[in-house]
């Protein structure tokens, strides 16, 4: 079976989002253009890395190519809407690639489906017929900045960290290693 590459040259929307409650969320990246919407499942840490790398790439593009990269996202590009439903997973992301297309002055993000074997790195950002399915999205620098900011907000919208150890707090309680395994549910004052 040949490889399927979903290309979004001028997406109406490319966002990170979640389904589920904090502590039990599934992370998705969703691209929409005209009437077509593709959703891929991604790990939380992959979202963090993608947002960080996009920030670094935008800085490098501004320095090396003189591209106009905003420091702040204009108010009209801040996307706080939920994912388009129904969210149907196209595939689970394994390998990611990002780059700069100088010809179109766009950031290119490619998300490749997870595979059992190792991936030949030459298939990333390439149209070869062999390899895992992929989603390729072209974003303007301001849209890439908006994606990265939303991704940071989505990742940080989870469970609050414990003030002592920094681990996520569960609604049912938290056994903090800084408390030597004791759970402090209620402060009891004895006379």
């Amino acid at each position: 079976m040949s490889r399927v590459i979903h290309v979004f040259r001028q997406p109406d929307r490319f966002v990170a989002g979640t389904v589920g409650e904090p502590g039990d969320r599934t992370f998705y990246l969703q691209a929409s253009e005209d009437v077509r919407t593709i959703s891929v499942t991604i790990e939380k840490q992959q979202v963090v890395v993608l947002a960080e790398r996009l920030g670094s790439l935008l800085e490098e593009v501004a320095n090396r190519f003189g591209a106009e990269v905003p420091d702040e996202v204009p108010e009209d590009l801040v996307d706080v809407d939920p994912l388009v439903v129904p969210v149907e997973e196209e595939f689970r992301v394994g390998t990611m690639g990002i780059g700069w297309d100088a010809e179109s002055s766009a950031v290119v993000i490619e998300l490749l489906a997870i595979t059992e074997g190792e991936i030949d790195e030459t298939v990333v950002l390439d149209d070869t017929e062999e390899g895992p399915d992929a989603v390729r999205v072209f974003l303007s620098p301001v849209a890439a900045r908006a994606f990265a900011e939303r991704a940071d907000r989505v990742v940080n919208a989870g469970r609050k960290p414990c003030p002592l150890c920094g681990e996520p707090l569960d609604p049912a309680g938290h056994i903090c290693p800084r408390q030597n395994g004791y759970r402090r549910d209620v402060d009891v004052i004895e006379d």
Side-chain angles (χ1 to χ4, degrees):
M1 190 161 98
S2 67
R3 176 181 194 203
V4 177
I5 302 175
H6 304 277
V7 179
F8 294 84
R9 291 213 173 267
Q10 296 180 329
D12 301 319
R13 187 173 192 225
F14 180 60
V15 295
T18 61
V19 173
E21 294 297 317
D24 192 28
R25 301 184 295 171
T26 302
F27 285 77
Y28 291 92
L29 296 183
Q30 193 173 70
S32 301
E33 187 172 27
D34 297 326
V35 296
R36 180 174 61 130
T37 298
I38 297 287
S39 301
V40 293
T41 307
I42 189 167
E43 294 296 324
K44 177 180 180 180
Q45 192 57 38
Q46 288 175 299
V47 175
V48 170
V49 169
L50 183 57
E52 287 173 357
R53 299 284 163 85
L54 278 174
S56 299
L57 178 69
L58 289 172
E59 286 177 27
E60 186 175 335
V61 163
N63 293 336
R64 289 181 62 192
F65 300 104
E68 201 165 311
V69 177
D71 291 332
E72 298 289 320
V73 177
E75 195 66 34
D76 61 324
L77 289 181
V78 174
D79 187 338
V80 294
D81 293 334
L83 296 172
V84 174
V85 291
V87 179
E88 296 174 358
E89 174 187 311
E90 188 70 23
F91 59 79
R92 180 171 286 281
V93 174
T95 303
M96 301 182 296
I98 63 172
W100 175 253
D101 181 20
E103 187 176 306
S104 62
S105 296
V107 172
V108 183
I109 300 170
E110 185 159 285
L111 310 162
L112 286 89
I114 198 165
T115 59
E116 291 182 21
E118 288 195 32
I119 293 180
D120 180 9
E121 291 178 14
T122 61
V123 302
V124 179
L125 301 173
D126 193 9
D127 291 332
T128 60
E129 297 222 2
E130 294 299 317
D133 290 352
V135 171
R136 187 177 299 151
V137 181
F138 291 76
L139 298 173
S140 67
V142 69
R145 177 78 71 206
F147 170 85
E149 283 190 15
R150 176 183 168 124
D152 286 339
R153 281 194 317 272
V154 166
V155 166
N156 293 322
R159 296 174 288 172
K160 301 282 185 229
C162 172
L164 297 175
C165 70
E167 293 294 316
L169 290 171
D170 290 323
H174 170 71
I175 298 176
C176 181
R178 299 281 307 267
Q179 298 263 331
N180 290 330
Y182 290 99
R183 183 180 302 193
R184 199 169 119 196
D185 292 330
V186 180
D187 290 330
V188 178
I189 300 175
E190 293 185 26
D191 291 320

